[in-house]
Amino acid sequence: MIQLTVNGVQHALDIDPSTPLLYALRNDLQLHGAKFGCGLGQCGACTVIVDDRAVFSCLLPVSAIGNRAVRTVEGLGTIDHPGTLQKAFIEHQAAQCGYCIAGMIMRAQALLDRTPHPTEAQLREHMEPNLCRCGTHMRILAAIRQAAGLVDDSTVGSARPDTGASQ
Amino acid sequence: MKRKYIYFAAIAVVLVAGAIALGIMWEPSIAQVQPPAASSFDSQLKIDGARVVALGDCAVCHTAKGGAPFAGGLPLATPFGTIYATNITPDPDTGIGTWSLEAFTRAVRRGISRDGHQLYPAFPYIHFTRMSDHDIQATYAYLMSRDPVKATAPHNKLIFPLNFRPPVAFWNVMFLRPGERAADASQSAEWNRGRLLVDGLGHCAACHSPLNVIGGEKSAQAFDGGLVDGWDAPPLNQLSNAVAPWTQAQLVTYLRTGRASEHGAAAGPMLPVTLDLATVPEADVQAIATYILSIQKPTSPSAEKTAADATQDAASPNVQRGAIIFNASCASCHGSGSPMQTIGTRPSLAFSTAINAQTPRNAIQMMLGGIPWHGESSINYMPAFADAFNDDQIADLASYLRSTYSKRVQWNGINDTVLKIRKENEAR
């Protein structure tokens, strides 16, 4: 039996110890936020937080988690009451197709948990592992800046939701 | 009377010794010049300079992470503390803009700054001193025609008394043999070119040799392998000891692309070296490989596991735990039949230099840090696992890799090594 604590809830799962955490989350716990992208640790769509660190859940066997707490995007808020980052992502319309967004939010959450007011350089370096094929990185960064209460001084090329309805 | 004589003799000895010491330590300042205009240099000389600077890996140390090229600021961890690389752009205030060719040549050949202070030997002038006058002039022309960048490196953090520079002069008396070396007439022109590049500009021995207690290369053990930035710099004189003995073709491909199909991918401090060597003419890298293959020492084969040991090792609990982690975390790229194993020229882990090495250090560093993205460059990538696994899990993986992919005996003290490397990495 594999013991997992996900978003504060304990689970006992009868699964192979080398099952990647992502499969346990999606197939056994019906938490479909984290996505399967590349399966190689190259895209970040599967990113969740394990013991306050952002990790690729597609490459982490459930047996290696031990008593570390797992957090997924579902743990940050609900549709009616989105969390701070989720709200900022909605306000900035940071999702195009949305496939990468759960991973983006969780990687950003890991940063803000440890560094509530990161510098622009810290923010960009931290977010580097996660890719968005639609290219909404500028909106994603703007959303994280808003959630972190940072002044958005890199407006070049970034689309703000209040600059026109046609964007 | 006799006592008085001894007294005067002692004073005389102290004075003479002091005068000699001052003579050794004192270096004159060389007058500042107006920064020369980029257009004042011959364009072919600047093109030559680009090649020399790439062969000398100048940018590797003199560029901070995310910083402007050659503007310095990169921390270099040494056993004596941290040294920050200097700004070698032609900025007159914070770089070398006011240095004349004479001042630049003195720095490269003897490790003296323009104003006369001693440079620390982390700057490999004991190797650069072998450069030709033409190569030094070309380097000067190239660097002086870069964009000046205003950037002051942080202060060095060195232990006392090494934060005081003049005594470096005594270090130089021991380790610096200034000037070019005559060509060896019994060897080919390519070999001589290779020696010049390896021993001089390329300063390979600076990392690939053990250091003595005062940070000098042990010249009798040149190329026996060293430790740099937390990575083992493997011996360069035991290349037949690899699972597939290194060949000229494999060496050249490795040095120019960062990948060798029978050995693995460059990582750690070697990766930027291969990025530089990708830009120089292939003939230069052929010469380097020719010379390196000529300095091989007789080696005894590495100790291999007996069949009984191999079976026992494979059944051990840490190897078993490592297997579970490997299947989830590594097999999608490194497992047999995975896409990465069937496209391109990536070797099975059985050929890996790191996994067949004497110590698990480089295998552990690879797992902890991976190989980060390098912009749009097509070099290898591997995700970092430092945040995903604890020390014991990294150690289990290392045991599994050694047990499964290498015929050589299992490493000792893997858990302690992981702990030690994590501490070193965090302190860096």
Side-chain angles (χ1 to χ4, degrees):
Chain A
M1 275 296 193
I2 299 289
Q3 305 287 334
L4 279 183
T5 307
V6 182
N7 300 327
V9 182
Q10 272 212 326
H11 303 273
L13 301 175
D14 186 13
I15 51 176
D16 188 285
S18 65
T19 307
L21 172 62
L22 176 67
Y23 298 11
L25 294 175
R26 293 184 58 87
N27 299 345
D28 298 290
L29 302 179
Q30 310 304 320
L31 295 169
H32 296 150
K35 300 290 189 289
F36 182 92
C38 64
L40 303 168
Q42 297 189 358
C43 75
C46 67
T47 305
V48 301
I49 295 178
V50 176
D51 197 19
D52 81 13
R53 301 280 166 158
V55 300
F56 300 128
S57 64
C58 74
L59 293 182
L60 184 64
V62 286
S63 59
I65 293 167
N67 54 12
R68 292 185 282 172
V70 178
R71 289 169 73 199
T72 70
V73 73
E74 290 88 348
L76 298 187
T78 62
I79 290 177
D80 294 332
H81 300 285
T84 311
L85 264 172
Q86 289 168 317
K87 229 169 120 190
F89 270 64
I90 295 166
E91 280 173 21
H92 283 266
Q93 287 293 288
Q96 177 79 5
C97 83
Y99 204 80
C100 70
I101 291 298
M104 290 283 185
I105 291 178
M106 292 318 286
R107 184 164 295 277
Q109 185 70 44
L111 172 67
L112 300 189
D113 284 347
R114 267 187 293 160
T115 314
H117 305 293
T119 63
E120 182 67 19
Q122 284 174 321
L123 170 60
R124 284 172 181 248
E125 191 183 336
H126 179 87
M127 294 304 294
E128 193 183 16
N130 286 41
L131 307 179
C132 167
R133 286 298 296 268
C134 306
T136 65
H137 295 95
M138 301 313 286
R139 290 181 181 225
I140 290 168
L141 291 175
I144 302 169
R145 279 185 214 111
Q146 177 184 310
L150 301 180
V151 181
D152 193 343
D153 56 0
S154 63
T155 45
V156 181
S158 80
R160 299 293 300 268
D162 55 351
T163 54
S166 61
Q167 294 207 10
Chain B
M1 186 67 194
K2 196 177 177 190
R3 182 175 285 182
K4 211 170 189 180
Y5 172 75
I6 293 174
Y7 180 68
F8 279 121
I11 287 182
V13 166
V14 167
L15 283 177
V16 169
I20 292 173
L22 276 178
I24 289 173
M25 292 190 292
W26 187 80
E27 296 285 349
S29 168
I30 294 178
Q32 299 194 6
V33 295
Q34 277 297 317
S39 58
S40 67
F41 296 104
D42 176 58
S43 59
Q44 185 57 47
L45 192 64
K46 286 187 278 192
I47 292 169
D48 289 355
R51 173 177 170 184
V52 174
V53 163
L55 284 164
D57 303 312
C58 307
V60 173
C61 287
H62 284 284
T63 307
K65 197 175 170 218
F70 305 109
L74 183 82
L76 303 172
T78 78
F80 315 106
T82 303
I83 292 179
Y84 291 89
T86 52
N87 179 349
I88 53 168
T89 71
D91 180 61
D93 302 319
T94 62
I96 59 169
T98 61
W99 290 37
S100 61
L101 175 61
E102 184 197 355
F104 184 77
T105 304
R106 183 176 68 167
V108 170
R109 286 222 195 276
R110 294 184 43 234
I112 311 296
S113 187
R114 186 203 59 77
D115 65 6
H117 78 252
Q118 305 281 347
L119 297 169
Y120 287 115
F123 173 51
Y125 53 85
I126 66 162
H127 296 284
F128 290 163
T129 193
R130 305 269 177 265
M131 289 166 69
S132 67
D133 284 335
H134 172 269
D135 281 358
I136 294 177
Q137 283 162 21
T139 307
Y140 181 76
Y142 177 82
L143 290 176
M144 288 312 226
S145 40
R146 298 306 92 202
D147 287 333
V149 178
K150 208 168 266 312
T152 307
H155 287 296
N156 296 329
K157 293 180 206 124
L158 291 169
I159 52 168
F160 179 83
L162 298 172
N163 48 1
F164 183 58
R165 289 172 180 268
V168 173
F170 298 104
W171 190 95
N172 290 343
V173 170
M174 284 184 281
F175 299 106
L176 173 64
R177 299 288 170 267
E180 294 180 65
R181 248 192 319 187
D184 182 341
S186 70
Q187 296 281 358
S188 68
E190 187 185 44
W191 183 93
N192 275 297
R193 171 83 178 146
R195 183 178 71 164
L196 184 65
L197 294 180
V198 169
D199 290 351
L201 259 181
H203 61 283
C204 306
C207 294
H208 289 276
S209 305
L211 300 183
N212 61 28
V213 288
I214 54 168
E217 291 165 31
K218 294 180 178 172
S219 53
Q221 289 163 259
F223 305 111
D224 280 4
L227 183 68
V228 60
D229 274 352
W231 291 73
D232 276 329
L236 298 184
N237 53 18
Q238 290 154 47
L239 296 182
S240 61
N241 212 3
V243 174
W246 282 90
T247 62
Q248 172 97 8
Q250 284 278 315
L251 259 182
V252 170
T253 306
Y254 174 75
L255 291 172
R256 283 174 65 77
T257 67
R259 273 201 289 271
S261 61
E262 296 175 350
H263 304 276
M270 189 61 197
L271 181 59
V273 175
T274 66
L275 293 175
D276 260 349
L277 291 178
T279 70
V280 304
E282 186 182 325
D284 284 343
V285 183
Q286 292 281 2
I288 291 171
T290 299
Y291 177 69
I292 287 179
L293 285 172
S294 80
I295 57 167
Q296 301 304 306
K297 285 183 175 172
T299 54
S300 45
S302 298
E304 294 198 353
K305 288 176 278 207
T306 62
D309 281 349
T311 312
Q312 201 192 347
D313 188 34
S316 72
N318 40 353
V319 169
Q320 295 289 313
R321 286 191 303 266
I324 292 171
I325 298 179
F326 182 90
N327 287 336
S329 302
C330 318
S332 52
C333 289
H334 293 290
S336 56
S338 64
M340 199 185 88
Q341 297 293 304
T342 53
I343 52 169
T345 51
R346 293 160 168 88
S348 148
L349 288 172
F351 287 99
S352 160
T353 307
I355 287 169
N356 288 289
Q358 284 221 300
T359 80
R361 179 174 276 276
N362 287 2
I364 291 167
Q365 287 285 29
M366 275 301 290
M367 289 188 272
L368 290 175
I371 302 180
W373 295 113
H374 274 248
E376 292 168 11
S377 156
S378 64
I379 57 161
N380 289 26
Y381 162 82
M382 175 172 146
F385 290 93
D387 285 348
F389 296 124
N390 64 28
D391 294 351
D392 290 343
Q393 289 165 339
I394 295 281
D396 287 345
L397 256 178
S399 308
Y400 170 78
L401 293 170
R402 180 75 163 187
S403 170
T404 310
Y405 288 99
S406 177
K407 294 193 171 94
R408 298 177 182 176
V409 292
Q410 185 57 275
W411 289 311
N412 288 322
I414 303 176
N415 294 62
D416 292 343
T417 311
V418 178
L419 185 76
K420 189 168 162 233
I421 292 175
R422 278 240 215 219
K423 275 198 183 139
E424 289 169 8
N425 289 355
E426 276 159 23
R428 197 166 289 125

